[in-house]
Amino acid sequence: MASNSGSSSSSDRQRIAQQRLRIIAGHLQRSEDGDSSSTVLLAAECKAQESQKTAGCSGEEKTVPRKRHEIMKWNGWGYSDSRFLFNKKGQAEFTGKRYRLSGMIIPGLKDWFEGTFGASLQHKTPATPVLTSSSVPPPTLNEAFVEELKSTGIPFSLEAEDRVFRAHGHCLHEIFALREGKFGRVPDMVVWPNCHNDVVKIVELACKHNVCLMPYGGGTSVSSALECPPEETRSIVSLDTSQMNRILWIDEKNLTAHVEAGIVGQDLERLLNESGYCTGHEPDSMEFSSLGGWVATRASGMKKNIYGNIEDLSQFSDGFAVVNIVRTDNFFSLSLMPKAERLHQGQPPLLQDEEPWVWSPEVTMKIRPMPEYQKYGSVVFPNFEQGVACLREVAKQRCAPASIRLMDNEQFKFGHALKPQVSSIFTSFLDGLKKFYITKFKGFDPNHLCVATLLFEGDREKVLQHEKQVYDIAAKFGGLAAGEDNGQRGYMLTFVIAYLRDLGMDYYVIGESFETSVPWDRVLDICRNVKARIVAECKDKGVQFSPLSTCRVTQTYDAGACVYFYFAFNYRGLSDPVHVYEQVEHAAREEILANGGSLSHHHGVGKLRKEWMRDTVSNVGMGMLKSVKDYVDPKNIFGNRNLL
Amino acid sequence: MASEAVYSHRDPMLKKRDDFEDILEERRNSSDLRYALRCYTPVLYKGMTPCKANTLKSMVLQSNQLRYVISQVSKETGRATDDVREDALAILEEMAHSLQLSTVRFFAFTLSKVFKTLFRSICVNEEGIQRLQQAIQEHPVVLLPSHRSYMDFLLMSYILYTYDLALPVIAAGMDFMGMKFVGEMLRMSGAFFIRRSFGGDKLYWSVFSEYVKTMLKNGFAPVEFFLEGTRSRTAKSLTPKLGLLNIVMDPFFKGEVYDVSVVPVSISYERILEEALYAREMLGVPKPKESTSGLFKARKVLSEDYGSIHVYFGQPVSVRSLAQGRVNRCQFNLVPRHIPGKPSEEIQNFVNDTAYRLVRAQEENMVLKPWVLLASLLLQNHHQNQTAGQERGIALDELTAQAVWLRDVSREYGAFLNWPGVMTPSEVVSSSLSLHRGLVRICEGRVQLAVEQTGTGEPHGAVTPEEELLSQAVVVLSCASYRNQALHVFIRPALLASAIHAASSNQKQEVFNSFSFLRNMFSNEFILCPGATVQDFEEACYLLVKTRALQVTQQEVLVTERGQRTLAFLTSMLDPFLQGYQVICRFLCEEVADTLTEKQFIPAVRKFIVKHLLAGRLRYTEVLSSDLQKNALAALLRLGAVRKIKGAEPGTLKVNAVMVNSLEDTLGGKLPMQKAVSARL
């Protein structure tokens, strides 16, 4: 951390600090006297910018404009035109035209919603409709920095809307505060670098004038990583990367692409698809989250079984190398834990998520040819235990499809409630028949059965072969194939879940999801205990209604799995619901750790889970992290204070 | 919060206890057969269906833990894994219960008959039953009854059957297996048998612990065992055994269950069936081996009146909330959970503390009958008269007056006293005396212990003085076992009273030093939670100040005028133990030249004590109790005054004469107590 020791610091220390600063700036700059290839790259970058414009990929088509609030909600998830609501007839519908579910009536949602939470459509808690600029604290500006920035021509803004939009991620407490029209510390200004060199200039200026920089990508963080540290007295500048959204080159020989870090998932995929490629990285937030954010949090996409997690994808990035040392393939030798857990169990992390000193403006990543054939699928199991056993077997045989997820019974019912109105009598008849077959003929208890959703990708023949293999394993564990439709709806749920939270918040219901990774033998235990802990804590903290506490297994690894929990409750009758919520979530995380789960699988540590870092990486690990931070960023220019 | 759930130190008067319901009443008014054959559909944990005994066995055999240990044992011994597995199966066959509803129904029928003849009533707190029912549905349940009689576990199952609750599986000692037919009957009513000692047998331990854990984790049935390990022959609670408690908590520590509910159950008998049997056993007449024929000989007990039984189901205790902040469950995260390991120190301490708390929770809900108070008074009177050479016994009205006084004192101390409100005190006293007519005699309006006549227990009159002494001792020890029922109420104030008595001044610090010396000395004798010296001292002060027997200032502890009587009563309550420990110290100094074995200890010390008693140098016959002698030895071993050494025979003891001598002098008040304490520390 930056030391403001003042008088006591000797000139010697200052000199060292200066030197380190130069090192940072040096890392960000292309070496002037490098070999020819790097000069070529430098040239290529500028060209890429030009060529894209000439190629017709005009700037107007950008998904994320500078003024994000023009198309996105300032106090909720996603696009302004897409939201759930209960219409006059009391039926749920999803507005807009962007999604498969858009414009559809969802008849089952109301009953499920009222039944699960004890909520009522009579009791509304509407959000503050508009942002009142006057309630946003005025910016603390570093005049010298602003002056010099102006001269560079890099666009920036001091407007309240822009600043508020970049002051938060999507943690419950952040959204809740916005809906109430409350703002804490917000960034003092927002800058939009357009290319690598802009970033270099901004960082240089920030170092020179001692300004705090906070990179901002998609703004989908759920670890309080974007929260401005309240103790920060310097001017905070939000570095919005949304304009750095170009693919700079594609190397078809090596199947790599060099991409600017601000590109959001959907653009990256769309642009690559145009050339016949894909990354295959599809986190649930891929519409809005950015490549830079993925790299920083070590994101995990739903199809990681084929394409890998982000650290497997990103070969090396520009600026600082985000070295792929943490989640290598041989983690078995290091510990029993999958993924991030290895790091959390004493394996010192070096460049871990949201490193407060690493930010890479450009990333080189692996790409794959687009799959020829895609097929959804689903399997019903008589109970969760059987489902987990099946997933374990699939992982053991290393034949996991692109995605395989197991929802527990509560989540299965949730997914079921999201079924849109069917148009034909025939379909509803078929549904009824299916239900009859499973519950009556096969004897599955509707209150215990659970569903695994599958997604296969690849060439047609292989997919069909693969499909058979997986269904054969499932059959051994009492699983029944339950159709493509169920599978597809399962994945849809993950894309609309965040919109659903906004709906809940209109009716006294608050909730959140969190994840962990855990060894296979503990999957069932952790699911049961964490869910039970949530219910017990809610009761203990005075929540009047029983909460929704559900989980799903979303990723499989050789040694373990990623488990995702959803937790929501009706807060009527509570004076400080967010505090209660935070207490319960805290307790749930403690339970996860006590049951052998990791601090995080892919959401990252941020500020939300900082308190457990020392216990998970040990004092030595913390010391190493601190010394790296002190070495590369002694003045704490990248001052978001995450992780440490 | 968690600690209060098990035991609260503060004002015992405020404790709220449930009311009792007599379950025999219905049995007397309706058909036993119909009762035995009625529809029995208990609710199980999470709606589980009960598991067949064979399924359970195969689950245990296939468990990761057992498979691991089998392969380990096979590697160590060089035997084939299949052989070792056969061994494991044999152990399991020997151990496993085979609960059958038909047997349970048989017991329900016969026990109804038996109970109705033996007892006036069996009183159960129904609120406790309701709490238990709730607990069974939520989490795996462990039942921890107190253990005073063979009846205990049949009685427990009988009650649970009566209330349509899940029948427990019960850890029983292997000695029952000796009883041919009965052993199997018990097995079919839910008992599983464990060897008394299997210290080094890894395979046995593994089968046993996995068997218990499998039943518990899956919630097939509540697991029942006796924390005290064996029946308490003295009616004092015994130092808890930790092995099984450790096993049942393990699934929680390892995250295999969300929580475990532990339910302390206090079973109090107005008259214990084994009364005289226990006394003789402690006097060295060996315990008859359990045999079926022996059981039939015991038939004559059936013709007597044993008063009533009170069974109190305590508040279920959540292991999770007890462990909160005390046990870091992450310690199991790095090693596969099926690999057995020694519990960490943190866990050992936690289990130990919890065990003591649970035993205290049992004690606290023990119902005391008026006779318990009478027995305490009569015993004290017996010894005082013996020395003073006064007229034998105590006048009936004097006894009644004292009993009323003691009733009020014990209530203030939080005793769970069952003193019938509808009767006058003299009616209460005389009905108690008549129930225990074997132990007391009333002649010419004076009540005394029935020590003169030897006809009660022994058909042939005693001839030698030693035999006469022993037959007297049977009565005294029986009587003492009733007094002991009340010891947990008085022990802390009694330790303080004795400490005040022993301390050379009224300085609080000095009194505390004496208190802590005595407490330390007697911590094998009574249930005194480890490390709770200060709390116990404060509790004792609080009780005595509350009853205005003491005034405690910052510096001083002063006995009030009205406190003299209370303190005298309390000191004489502890006096037999104080004297007993002294005699044992003297024995070790005088009689043991160099070493002796543990086996020799009891007979030798008994001989020594008999000599002293006959010579009139010792007045407390109850010092003959082998229980007291063993406890004293354990204390001396713990304090390091006696050490176990590797001698020719196992269990050779070496006496540190200087230290034993100084302990004796300290107990006798010849040396100030803090010196002894600091010497030890």
Side-chain angles (χ1 to χ4, degrees):
Chain A
M1 295 292 137
S3 61
N4 299 330
S5 43
S7 59
S8 68
S9 67
S10 63
S11 59
D12 208 33
R13 284 192 59 163
Q14 273 176 348
R15 193 179 48 78
I16 294 165
Q18 292 286 327
Q19 197 184 341
R20 284 180 182 168
L21 264 183
R22 276 200 301 278
I23 294 170
I24 302 180
H27 277 307
L28 282 166
Q29 271 171 336
R30 291 279 153 69
S31 55
E32 303 293 327
D33 49 357
D35 59 353
S36 59
S37 69
S38 73
T39 4
V40 172
L41 267 175
L42 193 63
E45 181 206 320
C46 296
K47 261 187 219 149
Q49 230 168 303
E50 297 300 309
S51 65
Q52 266 201 348
K53 281 199 180 123
T54 50
C57 256
S58 63
E60 284 89 87
E61 261 189 47
K62 282 170 193 161
T63 311
V64 186
R66 256 188 251 160
K67 301 279 174 196
R68 293 180 187 233
H69 46 274
E70 283 165 6
I71 62 159
M72 288 185 224
K73 298 194 192 82
W74 67 276
N75 59 357
W77 179 262
Y79 299 108
S80 306
D81 55 13
S82 302
R83 57 187 291 254
F84 281 98
L85 51 81
F86 287 113
N87 61 24
K88 295 213 170 59
K89 281 190 251 167
Q91 285 172 313
E93 68 178 80
F94 193 51
T95 62
K97 295 200 268 286
R98 294 175 188 268
Y99 299 89
R100 224 165 69 101
L101 211 56
S102 294
M104 290 209 202
I105 301 282
I106 304 129
L109 189 59
K110 174 172 173 274
D111 285 345
W112 177 85
F113 184 69
E114 293 185 333
T116 308
F117 296 107
S120 154
L121 301 195
Q122 317 308 325
H123 303 291
K124 286 201 73 172
T125 42
T128 314
V130 284
L131 191 154
T132 36
S133 315
S134 55
S135 55
V136 179
T140 320
L141 293 178
N142 183 319
E143 295 300 339
F145 175 80
V146 180
E147 280 312 306
E148 279 208 50
L149 188 66
K150 268 182 194 160
S151 68
T152 62
I154 298 169
F156 68 92
S157 162
L158 303 176
E159 282 171 37
E161 282 90 346
D162 290 322
R163 290 162 50 221
V164 166
F165 204 102
R166 283 146 191 92
H168 65 85
H170 279 271
C171 284
L172 177 88
H173 66 271
E174 294 171 325
I175 300 299
F176 199 91
L178 288 177
R179 288 171 62 94
E180 303 223 301
K182 288 181 188 149
F183 313 104
R185 177 85 155 96
V186 302
D188 300 299
M189 64 191 287
V190 180
V191 293
W192 286 275
N194 202 42
C195 66
H196 185 277
N197 278 340
D198 286 355
V199 176
V200 174
K201 279 179 212 157
I202 294 166
V203 174
E204 271 175 351
L205 286 180
C207 292
K208 183 171 167 196
H209 299 288
N210 196 16
V211 164
C212 172
L213 291 181
M214 284 185 59
Y216 181 93
T220 56
S221 155
V222 281
S223 58
S224 303
L226 289 167
E227 231 168 64
C228 296
E231 68 270 32
E232 181 60 72
T233 50
R234 296 172 295 180
S235 181
I236 299 179
V237 176
S238 181
L239 205 60
D240 186 328
T241 60
S242 60
Q243 307 313 302
M244 296 179 58
N245 55 4
R246 286 154 296 237
I247 295 176
L248 299 177
W249 47 253
I250 292 174
D251 179 342
E252 296 184 273
K253 285 260 161 50
N254 295 312
L255 286 178
T256 52
H258 194 65
V259 189
E260 287 182 321
I263 194 163
V264 292
Q266 55 170 322
D267 287 354
L268 176 61
E269 212 59 21
R270 183 166 44 84
L271 293 175
L272 283 175
N273 287 358
E274 282 169 12
S275 326
Y277 295 100
C278 69
T279 62
H281 185 70
E282 291 183 21
D284 294 351
S285 60
M286 70 171 288
E287 292 170 280
F288 307 107
S289 56
S290 70
L291 175 57
W294 299 341
V295 173
T297 57
R298 321 212 142 239
S300 172
M302 102 189 179
K303 295 193 239 171
K304 79 100 192 135
N305 292 336
I306 289 188
Y307 302 97
N309 283 324
I310 195 71
E311 70 275 8
D312 311 315
L313 286 165
S314 54
Q315 294 277 292
F316 40 83
S317 52
D318 196 57
F320 301 101
V322 175
V323 193
N324 185 17
I325 53 161
V326 182
R327 285 193 305 217
T328 47
D329 292 329
N330 60 340
F331 59 71
F332 230 108
S333 63
L334 293 163
S335 106
L336 290 167
M337 311 301 162
K339 221 170 163 212
E341 186 58 5
R342 183 159 35 82
L343 147 100
H344 295 139
Q345 298 291 358
Q347 183 74 13
L350 267 177
L351 299 171
Q352 219 259 351
D353 44 359
E354 321 115 275
E355 288 95 23
W357 55 86
V358 173
W359 184 68
S360 34
E362 286 166 15
V363 177
T364 305
M365 62 190 306
K366 286 196 249 181
I367 53 174
R368 298 286 306 161
M370 276 173 70
E372 162 192 331
Y373 188 65
Q374 247 195 358
K375 193 172 180 192
Y376 287 97
S378 66
V379 180
V380 186
F381 291 99
N383 55 45
F384 192 64
E385 288 77 11
Q386 296 277 58
V388 171
C390 172
L391 258 65
R392 206 281 161 264
E393 185 61 29
V394 167
K396 196 174 175 181
Q397 297 192 17
R398 289 197 170 165
C399 63
S403 170
I404 177 163
R405 283 178 177 180
L406 180 75
M407 299 191 270
D408 69 358
N409 184 261
E410 289 84 2
Q411 215 162 106
F412 164 72
K413 287 177 182 164
F414 183 16
H416 216 69
L418 283 176
K419 230 174 180 174
Q421 203 163 30
V422 284
S423 38
S424 81
I425 304 168
F426 182 68
T427 329
S428 71
F429 171 74
L430 268 186
D431 279 350
L433 209 64
K434 234 186 275 172
K435 198 175 156 191
F436 177 81
Y437 175 71
I438 287 173
T439 59
K440 295 290 184 307
F441 191 73
K442 280 287 174 181
F444 284 19
D445 181 346
N447 290 316
H448 283 124
L449 61 80
C450 72
V451 167
T453 57
L454 310 166
L455 172 61
F456 298 90
E457 264 188 27
D459 64 68
R460 199 185 147 82
E461 213 166 293
K462 274 202 186 122
V463 162
L464 294 177
Q465 206 182 335
H466 195 176
E467 195 185 13
K468 186 175 176 308
Q469 189 186 6
V470 172
Y471 282 121
D472 283 350
I473 295 174
K476 276 191 216 147
F477 294 91
L480 293 174
E484 283 185 66
D485 193 43
N486 273 323
Q488 200 166 5
R489 205 171 38 248
Y491 290 102
M492 182 189 68
L493 176 68
T494 63
F495 283 100
V496 297
I497 184 85
Y499 286 107
L500 273 168
R501 181 170 81 177
D502 288 343
L503 177 75
M505 287 172 92
D506 286 339
Y507 296 93
Y508 281 100
V509 173
I510 51 177
E512 178 92 272
S513 59
F514 45 88
E515 34 57 83
T516 187
S517 52
V518 64
W520 277 113
D521 73 318
R522 283 187 177 262
V523 170
L524 284 175
D525 290 332
I526 208 171
C527 291
R528 176 191 55 243
N529 291 352
V530 173
K531 287 198 286 184
R533 178 78 181 261
I534 288 171
V535 174
E537 290 287 334
C538 280
K539 202 172 157 195
D540 196 44
K541 301 287 180 298
V543 177
Q544 308 282 312
F545 304 86
S546 61
L548 172 72
S549 171
T550 153
C551 70
R552 65 168 185 253
V553 180
T554 59
Q555 295 286 17
T556 60
Y557 294 88
D558 285 351
C562 166
V563 180
Y564 216 87
F565 294 93
Y566 283 147
F567 147 52
F569 63 88
N570 181 344
Y571 67 85
R572 281 189 67 207
L574 294 182
S575 58
D576 191 351
V578 172
H579 182 62
V580 169
Y581 166 80
E582 282 172 347
Q583 284 178 310
V584 178
E585 198 201 352
H586 188 271
R589 181 57 59 182
E590 302 235 287
E591 191 63 33
I592 286 174
L593 295 173
N595 281 277
S598 64
L599 194 50
S600 164
H601 174 261
H602 59 272
H603 283 180
V605 175
K607 287 184 264 293
L608 194 63
R609 302 173 185 171
K610 246 162 85 162
E611 63 178 291
W612 291 287
M613 268 301 279
R614 191 169 292 279
D615 286 342
T616 41
V617 303
S618 81
N619 286 333
V620 176
M622 289 299 273
M624 290 173 75
L625 287 167
K626 280 220 166 74
S627 61
V628 174
K629 166 74 178 174
D630 287 346
Y631 177 71
V632 294
D633 186 9
K635 283 174 85 181
N636 194 25
I637 295 302
F638 287 97
N640 58 20
R641 293 179 202 256
N642 291 330
L643 194 66
L644 287 178
Chain B
M1 189 191 87
S3 67
E4 277 168 351
V6 180
Y7 186 82
S8 55
H9 282 299
R10 280 293 151 210
D11 201 347
M13 277 290 271
L14 296 176
K15 260 171 236 149
K16 206 192 145 334
R17 281 159 177 143
D18 309 334
D19 296 329
F20 285 103
E21 214 54 55
D22 178 13
I23 59 167
L24 280 189
E25 199 174 300
E26 206 197 320
R27 293 278 49 72
R28 293 191 207 279
N29 297 326
S30 64
S31 156
D32 285 338
L33 193 63
R34 195 177 307 148
Y35 161 77
L37 294 176
R38 82 203 158 91
C39 174
Y40 168 73
T41 48
V43 187
L44 284 179
Y45 169 60
K46 283 184 181 160
M48 286 288 288
T49 44
C51 156
K52 292 233 169 58
N54 280 334
T55 327
L56 183 64
K57 279 182 206 163
S58 66
M59 280 174 85
V60 173
L61 281 179
Q62 279 156 22
S63 68
N64 287 331
Q65 201 236 110
L66 193 54
R67 290 212 311 243
Y68 176 84
V69 172
I70 286 174
S71 76
Q72 225 189 6
V73 168
S74 131
K75 258 180 227 153
E76 279 166 18
T77 57
R79 296 169 55 209
T81 35
D82 284 340
D83 288 356
V84 183
R85 193 176 295 114
E86 284 298 313
D87 285 1
L89 185 62
I91 295 172
L92 199 55
E93 291 293 344
E94 177 193 85
M95 182 181 319
H97 76 85
S98 54
L99 185 62
Q100 276 183 347
L101 199 54
S102 53
T103 319
V104 172
R105 292 190 192 282
F106 166 77
F107 271 115
F109 180 75
T110 45
L111 285 179
S112 293
K113 299 284 182 212
V114 173
F115 286 160
K116 278 190 285 188
T117 12
L118 285 176
F119 304 109
R120 293 182 194 166
S121 59
I122 298 176
C123 299
V124 178
N125 66 325
E126 292 200 337
E127 281 163 66
I129 292 284
Q130 279 155 23
R131 288 191 297 253
L132 175 62
Q133 185 167 25
Q134 188 66 32
I136 286 177
Q137 286 171 50
E138 283 169 0
H139 304 294
V141 165
V142 177
L143 291 167
L144 298 176
S146 59
H147 203 9
R148 301 288 175 269
S149 165
Y150 276 143
M151 291 312 292
D152 289 328
F153 81 76
L154 286 175
L155 181 66
M156 282 292 289
S157 298
Y158 183 82
I159 293 170
L160 295 181
Y161 174 80
T162 306
Y163 285 101
D164 216 16
L165 288 175
L167 287 172
V169 287
I170 308 121
M174 206 58 146
D175 24 5
F176 278 108
M177 285 274 288
M179 304 155 87
K180 275 176 222 152
F181 177 65
V182 176
E184 285 312 302
M185 285 291 282
L186 294 179
R187 194 194 283 281
M188 284 189 280
S189 63
F192 65 95
F193 296 99
I194 43 178
R195 297 180 190 162
R196 284 259 174 236
S197 61
F198 43 87
D201 193 340
K202 211 191 276 180
L203 189 66
Y204 191 89
W205 174 260
S206 170
V207 173
F208 164 56
S209 66
E210 192 58 34
Y211 182 68
V212 176
K213 280 187 220 169
T214 308
M215 287 188 292
L216 190 82
K217 276 193 294 205
N218 294 296
F220 294 137
V223 173
E224 177 181 316
F225 64 93
F226 299 105
L227 251 187
E228 299 163 281
T230 180
R231 287 171 301 154
S232 165
R233 272 72 166 165
T234 56
K236 271 185 299 160
S237 294
L238 304 177
T239 310
K241 303 281 178 293
L242 306 179
L244 255 165
L245 192 62
N246 227 323
I247 289 176
V248 295
M249 286 185 172
D250 193 64
F252 165 71
F253 294 144
K254 291 186 176 162
E256 292 165 332
V257 293
Y258 180 71
D259 199 354
V260 174
S261 296
V262 185
V263 183
V265 183
S266 317
I267 307 175
S268 2
Y269 295 88
E270 188 166 10
R271 224 188 120 190
I272 294 167
L273 290 160
E274 296 99 324
E275 183 182 271
L277 207 68
Y278 285 159
R280 280 200 211 99
E281 193 186 320
M282 283 186 296
L283 289 168
V285 186
K287 164 183 163 192
K289 199 163 187 276
E290 276 87 358
S291 68
T292 314
S293 62
L295 196 78
F296 280 105
K297 276 184 204 144
R299 240 176 352 173
K300 85 169 168 53
V301 300
L302 289 179
S303 54
E304 287 192 45
D305 177 3
Y306 287 89
S308 49
I309 304 176
H310 283 85
V311 183
Y312 194 98
F313 287 84
Q315 195 74 40
V317 179
S318 146
V319 175
R320 174 176 277 266
S321 64
L322 283 183
Q324 180 77 43
R326 289 209 51 189
V327 175
N328 179 7
R329 285 179 288 150
C330 296
Q331 61 189 289
F332 296 104
N333 285 355
L334 292 175
V335 179
R337 290 174 294 174
H338 65 268
I339 297 180
K342 206 172 180 298
S344 65
E345 201 177 329
E346 185 187 40
I347 284 181
Q348 281 175 14
N349 288 337
F350 170 72
V351 174
N352 191 33
D353 285 0
T354 309
Y356 272 90
R357 282 169 157 193
L358 288 165
V359 174
R360 281 201 71 184
Q362 280 176 358
E363 284 184 331
E364 147 180 286
N365 290 323
M366 285 292 222
V367 172
L368 304 184
K369 285 291 191 174
W371 166 247
V372 169
L373 305 181
L374 295 176
S376 314
L377 292 165
L378 285 168
L379 264 180
Q380 291 195 6
N381 175 263
H382 174 74
H383 293 306
Q384 274 153 19
N385 288 353
Q386 215 177 12
T387 42
Q390 288 167 347
E391 204 184 343
R392 293 267 160 184
I394 177 172
L396 189 58
D397 48 351
E398 167 67 13
L399 180 65
T400 311
Q402 284 193 19
V404 170
W405 170 78
L406 189 54
R407 175 194 69 184
D408 297 341
V409 172
S410 61
R411 278 195 178 146
E412 294 244 42
Y413 290 177
F416 194 1
L417 195 61
N418 185 260
W419 184 287
V422 288
M423 292 151 84
T424 64
S426 58
E427 280 171 346
V428 172
V429 169
S430 52
S431 91
S432 302
L433 293 179
S434 82
L435 185 69
H436 296 275
R437 65 181 87 89
L439 298 176
V440 281
R441 175 141 312 106
I442 309 173
C443 68
E444 295 156 18
R446 296 185 77 82
V447 189
Q448 53 175 306
L449 293 187
V451 290
E452 307 291 273
Q453 206 183 349
T454 45
T456 46
E458 302 286 316
H460 324 286
V463 275
T464 66
E466 192 181 331
E467 278 174 41
E468 192 186 327
L469 179 69
L470 281 179
S471 73
Q472 280 183 18
V474 170
V475 175
V476 172
L477 283 186
S478 303
C479 210
S481 78
Y482 290 100
R483 174 210 58 201
N484 286 348
Q485 290 186 15
L487 267 179
H488 70 270
V489 177
F490 296 109
I491 182 62
R492 275 153 276 267
L495 284 169
L496 181 57
S498 302
I500 294 170
H501 187 74
S504 50
S505 77
N506 286 330
Q507 290 296 309
K508 193 175 178 182
Q509 182 59 44
E510 208 158 316
V511 172
F512 176 76
N513 288 343
S514 302
F515 178 87
S516 104
F517 169 80
L518 288 172
R519 189 186 177 281
N520 190 25
M521 197 72 216
F522 288 123
S523 61
N524 292 71
E525 193 72 46
F526 311 110
I527 298 300
L528 297 162
C529 301
T533 313
V534 176
Q535 288 101 302
D536 281 349
F537 182 72
E538 279 173 2
E539 192 187 331
C541 287
Y542 171 79
L543 290 174
L544 286 172
V545 168
K546 196 182 80 162
T547 50
R548 280 173 286 157
L550 274 193
Q551 280 179 338
V552 179
T553 63
Q554 279 298 82
Q555 303 297 326
E556 281 186 315
V557 178
L558 295 168
V559 184
T560 63
E561 192 61 37
R562 83 180 249 152
Q564 298 293 352
R565 183 181 183 185
T566 317
L567 264 74
F569 171 80
L570 292 171
T571 0
S572 19
M573 194 167 220
L574 205 59
D575 204 39
F577 298 96
L578 215 58
Q579 302 259 344
Y581 276 46
Q582 282 180 61
V583 174
I584 289 158
C585 287
R586 206 172 312 146
F587 159 76
L588 290 172
C589 291
E590 290 177 10
E591 303 277 309
V592 183
D594 184 32
T595 58
L596 86 167
T597 63
E598 272 181 292
K599 267 188 196 152
Q600 294 164 336
F601 172 73
I602 296 286
V605 79
R606 183 177 290 136
K607 224 165 107 191
F608 183 79
I609 291 168
V610 167
K611 206 171 72 191
H612 275 254
L613 281 168
L614 290 175
R617 283 194 294 266
L618 181 68
R619 52 181 168 152
Y620 296 113
T621 336
E622 62 173 292
V623 176
L624 279 171
S625 155
S626 61
D627 180 67
L628 185 142
Q629 294 153 5
K630 281 179 196 155
N631 289 337
L633 181 63
L636 292 171
L637 278 166
R638 176 171 46 85
L639 296 176
V642 177
R643 268 177 307 142
K644 270 186 195 170
I645 54 165
K646 276 182 189 152
E649 279 178 80
T652 306
L653 303 170
K654 174 137 179 70
V655 179
N656 178 342
V658 179
M659 196 166 171
V660 172
N661 206 5
S662 103
L663 282 173
E664 188 206 338
D665 288 349
T666 317
L667 283 167
K670 290 182 204 151
L671 280 177
M673 288 187 174
Q674 67 266 44
K675 267 198 180 159
V677 172
S678 58
R680 192 184 63 78
L681 292 171

